[in-house]
Amino acid sequence: MIKVKAFADLTKYISKDGKFETFFDNKGESVKVKDIVDFYNIPLDDIKIILVNGKDADLETEVSDNDTVTFFSPVGGG
């Protein structure tokens, strides 16, 4: 299982109850971050930062059991 965290506006894609983390069942196989994004139907334009185990990553980064993938949306303000 891969832990998936999403913050700000992205939580709505991974959880219907507003929780910011969930688990992705990779069935013991390595997958790419893009596979997780596709599974949760997260629009690519909504993702600003991707971390895997706290380190900068991209859609092609491979992840496997016990990894943590974190998504951040762009921050607005003014």
Side-chain angles (χ1 to χ4, degrees):
M1 297 287 257
I2 297 168
K3 184 184 284 188
V4 179
K5 295 182 176 184
F7 294 95
D9 292 338
L10 300 178
T11 57
K12 65 186 174 196
Y13 296 106
I14 68 163
S15 171
K16 295 187 188 292
D17 59 4
K19 293 185 179 178
F20 69 91
E21 70 178 43
T22 190
F23 289 91
F24 176 79
D25 186 2
N26 58 318
K27 300 181 183 0
E29 298 180 14
S30 290
V31 296
K32 292 185 178 184
V33 171
K34 183 171 184 351
D35 297 321
I36 296 171
V37 170
D38 290 345
F39 179 82
Y40 290 108
N41 295 311
I42 304 172
L44 295 178
D45 290 343
D46 289 0
I47 301 171
K48 177 68 175 172
I49 297 170
I50 301 170
L51 302 177
V52 173
N53 300 326
K55 296 182 180 175
D56 193 32
D58 60 35
L59 294 172
E60 296 300 316
T61 302
E62 289 202 12
V63 292
S64 55
D65 280 341
N66 302 314
D67 284 340
T68 299
V69 178
T70 307
F71 298 107
F72 292 91
S73 62
V75 177

